Amino acid sequence: EVQLQASGGGLVQAGGSLRLSCEASGFDFEEYAVGWFRQAPGKEREMVSCSSAGGDGSIRYVDSVKGRFTQSGYRLQMDSLKPEDTAVYYCAVGRQYGHRCLMASHAYGYWGRGTLVTVSS
């Protein structure tokens, strides 16, 4: 059984940092890409970043977090946080092939419970 749980959220001032972790089990890490998503209040879910299956390929980011967020496997380091980064963050995995992970939510079939990140101004 695939199990995912995001953790590490909290309240931080603008300009601060947080590191999110995704505890994952129940699947072959070599076959599944991992993605981070977020959903702010009243907004649609947005994909933040992804790492290819096996972790030896590409890591991709949405433009709004490039240069500030760094995904390393199942962790997401968030620096220079902005109030607009406030959201519930989720990790998700999906079976994918190749070295280029997909930046699309439909490519991720398993989702964990989210963790709330609040950035104050």
Side-chain angles (χ1 to χ4, degrees), residues 48-104:
V48 175
S49 65
C50 68
S51 177
S52 61
D56 59 351
S58 63
I59 298 178
R60 303 174 67 186
Y61 302 92
V62 68
D63 286 347
S64 60
V65 308
K66 284 180 180 177
R68 300 189 299 119
F69 289 14
T70 303
Q71 181 172 344
S72 177
Y74 288 72
R75 292 187 174 88
L76 184 67
Q77 177 69 37
M78 305 187 297
D79 299 317
S80 302
L81 283 162
K82 303 176 181 180
E84 51 263 44
D85 295 319
T86 294
V88 177
Y89 284 71
Y90 302 86
C91 58
V93 296
R95 181 173 287 172
Q96 298 178 19
Y97 301 97
H99 295 290
R100 187 171 173 83
C101 54
L102 298 176
M103 289 287 283

Side-chain angles (χ1 to χ4, degrees), residues 10-12 38-41 43 46 68-69 78 81-89 115-121:
L11 174 63
V12 64
R38 65 186 180 185
Q39 188 164 20
K43 295 188 177 181
E46 173 187 39
R68 300 189 299 119
F69 289 14
M78 305 187 297
L81 283 162
K82 303 176 181 180
E84 51 263 44
D85 295 319
T86 294
V88 177
Y89 284 71
T115 185
L116 176 63
V117 172
T118 303
V119 184
S120 63
S121 58

